[in-house]
Amino acid sequence: MGVTSTSGWIDELRRLLPDPRRVSTSHAVLENHSHDFSYHAPRLPSAVVFPETTEEVSAILRFANEHGIPVVPFGAGSSLEGHVVPVKGGISLDLTRMNEIVEVRPDDFVVRVQAGVPRSRLNQRLARDGLFFPVDPGADATIGGMIATNASGTSAVRYGAMRHQVLGLEVVLADGTIIRTGSLAVKSSAGYNLTGLFVGSEGTLGVITEATLRVYPLPEYVVAARATFPSVDAAARVAVGLIRAGVPVARVELVDDATVQAVNSYKGTNYPERPTLFLEFSGPEAAVRADVDFARDLAATEDGLGFEFESDEKARERLWEARHHAALAIAAASPGKKMMITDVCVPISHLPEAIRHARRTAEEHGIQAAIFGHVGDGNYHAVFMVDPDDPEDVARAERVNAAIVQHALARGGTCTGEHGVGMGKKKYLNDEHGQALAVMRAIKKTLDPRNVLNPGKIF
């Protein structure tokens, strides 16, 4: 049965679920599941399905596989490379009703959650036991989507990305088979690392329905700091210097002057419109105070123009406000346009040079770019606002994006440090992985021979 003959299979699909209303063809619902936060063109699915159990996901996938109907998993829709766009129509599988925090094990520093649990709600629950989950991609993404893209964010410099937090998964394969990978133990040498295979697979190998995650004690003492500099180079050198010195920073974020200008316009604030480092330190109070003193002295060696720090929670939030609102501010400055955002990651020694190259390349192409990122691990973003209805505008931005990626790859970096491949980075994978790409294709063919799981992504 072809996916263009929708009425028959949609009626049949409705009969699979206890409540047929959980299969929606409402235009508003379809439109909401046609796009993410990126500039990639939207595409309406044929239907949106809201499963509530793993068994329902299994039945839906078994049905879709038998009929050759594409299935695209959907969480919060906050991805940035078109991951959730159903480019071939079919089913958008919305997992947000699978939002149970199944088990919290404080003594083991482990939690089990369903895929649709939002990051913020997980941390609200964990705080009752003095724990937290560290991965913070900015948006209030769902855990399943964060695993599917191997999300990271501001705290990756200390805690790592999602790949470092996932101990085990429950996954439904294309044919409806339900498997469990990993365990509650913090390590294992039993067989292939299937957990790692599904982390970052972007819904192309299976649908993640549950995860077992590491969690951490809430820190004893936290200090946030903000330092401004005469140049992006100077700020980047301080970030690299902190890492080289072994300072256990919890977060190291850089924003350029263009980003601060956008935030001032968006929020009505008056932050100094200069390249700025945002820092966070956590741990025992004496150690944190010593780290803050070291960072202040290091900033002074690069002609830092100001160094502020706060330990009070609300004061810390105010100090970091310009970083937290960066993406929204940049988008607000260009109404009617969509965001194209690079997320290359380079070896940290190449970071200052890479940022210089990105700035110079954008200027040479006549593009206004804001630069910010998680510079403590070599991951930075160059952001361009583009008119998706203007092919030349998009093409010009894509040329800049390509130059930034090739510069990173030539230095041993990657085309994507945290956003994933989706639709936008497919063309770079052969340059980055070479013959290993054929192995990835073979894995995809083995697990999803009919290519029903998120087709058109990664490859």
Side-chain angles (χ1 to χ4, degrees), residues 210-233:
E210 186 181 299
T212 303
L213 306 170
R214 298 173 184 264
V215 294
Y216 299 82
L218 284 166
E220 171 191 325
Y221 187 68
V222 180
V223 168
R226 183 176 65 206
T228 57
F229 296 89
S231 68
V232 169
D233 269 16

Side-chain angles (χ1 to χ4, degrees), residues 56 106 108 233 249 263 304 387 451:
E56 289 181 355
D108 294 319
D233 269 16
V249 285
V263 171
D387 180 353
N451 193 29

Side-chain angles (χ1 to χ4, degrees), residues 169-247:
L169 294 171
E170 180 182 74
V171 181
V172 184
L173 303 182
D175 65 359
T177 301
I178 301 169
I179 67 170
R180 281 191 172 272
T181 73
S183 69
L184 291 169
V186 296
K187 63 179 182 178
S188 171
S189 297
Y192 297 141
N193 182 9
L194 295 182
T195 301
L197 178 64
F198 288 102
V199 177
S201 63
E202 303 183 17
T204 63
L205 300 180
V207 176
I208 296 164
T209 53
E210 186 181 299
T212 303
L213 306 170
R214 298 173 184 264
V215 294
Y216 299 82
L218 284 166
E220 171 191 325
Y221 187 68
V222 180
V223 168
R226 183 176 65 206
T228 57
F229 296 89
S231 68
V232 169
D233 269 16
R237 285 194 296 269
V238 169
V240 172
L242 285 169
I243 305 305
R244 283 179 175 163
V247 177

Side-chain angles (χ1 to χ4, degrees), residues 157 241-250 281 291-292 294-295 298:
V157 64
L242 285 169
I243 305 305
R244 283 179 175 163
V247 177
V249 285
F281 307 87
D291 292 338
V292 171
F294 180 88
L298 184 61

Side-chain angles (χ1 to χ4, degrees), residues 85-108:
V85 177
V87 293
K88 299 195 180 291
I91 296 168
S92 179
L93 190 69
D94 189 312
L95 297 164
T96 54
R97 295 192 183 197
M98 296 183 65
N99 59 3
E100 183 182 351
I101 298 173
V102 180
E103 182 182 19
V104 179
R105 299 170 65 103
D107 293 339
D108 294 319

Side-chain angles (χ1 to χ4, degrees), residues 47-133:
V48 178
V49 185
F50 297 87
E52 294 182 351
T53 67
T54 299
E55 289 70 28
E56 289 181 355
V57 173
S58 174
I60 293 162
L61 287 188
R62 186 164 54 249
F63 172 84
N65 192 56
E66 289 171 357
H67 292 79
I69 301 166
V71 178
V72 181
F74 189 98
S78 59
S79 54
L80 291 164
E81 286 294 356
H83 302 88
V84 299
V85 177
V87 293
K88 299 195 180 291
I91 296 168
S92 179
L93 190 69
D94 189 312
L95 297 164
T96 54
R97 295 192 183 197
M98 296 183 65
N99 59 3
E100 183 182 351
I101 298 173
V102 180
E103 182 182 19
V104 179
R105 299 170 65 103
D107 293 339
D108 294 319
F109 299 102
V110 165
V111 64
R112 286 174 51 222
V113 299
Q114 289 186 310
V117 172
R119 175 186 61 84
S120 63
R121 190 161 70 82
L122 174 58
N123 271 323
Q124 288 168 7
R125 169 61 186 86
L126 291 173
R128 287 158 42 188
D129 290 296
L131 302 170
F132 80 111
F133 182 69

